[in-house]
Amino acid sequence: MAAATEPTVLLTAFEPFGGDARNPSWDAAQRLAERWDGPATLVVEQLPVVFAEERARLAAAIAKHRPTVVIATGLAAGRAAVTPERVAINVMDARIPDNAGAQPVDEPIDPCGAPAAFSGLPIKRIVRDVRAAGVPASVSNTAGTFTCNQVFYELMSFAGREGFRAGFVHVPATPDIAGDGPSLELDQIVTALDAGVRASIDPSGDIVEQGGAES
């Protein structure tokens, strides 16, 4: 059991959405919490896939746990790798309705907020360490415009005010929900999140390594 003086890592993940029975981000977060052996205290919270509830639910989780590091995670169906996100943008543009039926189009997350917010996680180190653990990983330069991006943007607002390290990591679908699309086994996603949490606990800066894309 982690000591009380150790830092706390808050790992958030989403409930199922879009007709799926499961959300691999939440399944992986729960499994990692069950097997976590330090060096920090790891806590997990599930977030709804509901635009109107994200900020309040995220704020409540942060107030409850007072974390040193927050890593939000979500599902990116169609991706074949675990992808730490570089940037969140201040827009909600939903391709499908959220779980409450809302489908905002071209609406700002925060009408008074900055156009974008960058991750505070060591995204290049996370990619390196996840790959070293045998799981495909790459930097992503778009978090989409659904609730994942909204949580990421809101999270960086809280992190800027309260001074904790934070960011977002997308995970692929698992084979049971991927159909013919790309997927990773749940154990691979758990391994990747374990590596990402451990990289994020390390307070040192990020490495300089290629992670850009042409498109």
Side-chain angles (χ1 to χ4, degrees), residues 33-66:
E34 291 169 358
R35 80 177 200 186
W36 181 255
D37 60 358
T41 298
L42 179 68
V43 293
V44 297
E45 293 281 351
Q46 187 184 75
L47 298 177
V49 181
V50 178
F51 285 102
E53 297 181 18
E54 303 298 5
R55 184 174 179 84
R57 292 285 292 272
L58 188 59
I62 291 167
K64 175 182 177 181
H65 298 292
R66 309 308 304 174

Side-chain angles (χ1 to χ4, degrees), residues 4-192:
T5 55
E6 289 184 330
T8 295
V9 178
L10 170 61
L11 185 65
T12 73
F14 284 100
E15 67 185 358
F17 70 101
D20 290 333
R22 313 183 66 85
N23 189 318
S25 69
W26 179 238
D27 292 344
Q30 288 181 295
R31 187 170 294 186
L32 179 57
E34 291 169 358
R35 80 177 200 186
W36 181 255
D37 60 358
T41 298
L42 179 68
V43 293
V44 297
E45 293 281 351
Q46 187 184 75
L47 298 177
V49 181
V50 178
F51 285 102
E53 297 181 18
E54 303 298 5
R55 184 174 179 84
R57 292 285 292 272
L58 188 59
I62 291 167
K64 175 182 177 181
H65 298 292
R66 309 308 304 174
T68 308
V69 176
V70 182
I71 303 174
T73 69
L75 170 64
R79 294 187 186 179
V82 172
T83 48
E85 297 292 346
R86 190 192 300 266
V87 60
I89 59 173
N90 188 9
V91 66
M92 297 178 288
D93 193 0
R95 179 182 60 83
I96 60 173
D98 70 9
N99 283 354
Q103 192 172 3
V105 175
D106 294 338
E107 295 182 20
I109 297 168
D110 180 356
C112 299
F118 284 88
S119 178
L121 298 180
I123 57 174
K124 301 288 184 68
R125 282 201 288 117
I126 291 173
V127 167
R128 180 197 65 188
D129 292 356
V130 171
R131 289 174 175 172
V135 181
S138 62
V139 171
S140 169
N141 296 300
T142 175
T145 52
F146 199 53
T147 52
C148 287
N149 175 74
Q150 182 196 7
V151 164
F152 184 13
Y153 185 89
E154 300 279 23
L155 175 59
M156 298 319 299
S157 174
F158 289 124
R161 287 200 301 272
E162 301 188 27
F164 53 79
R165 175 178 265 188
F168 196 98
V169 177
H170 264 123
V171 303
T174 44
D176 56 312
I177 64 172
D180 294 330
S183 66
L184 287 178
E185 296 291 343
L186 183 61
D187 283 345
Q188 292 179 289
I189 297 173
V190 175
T191 295

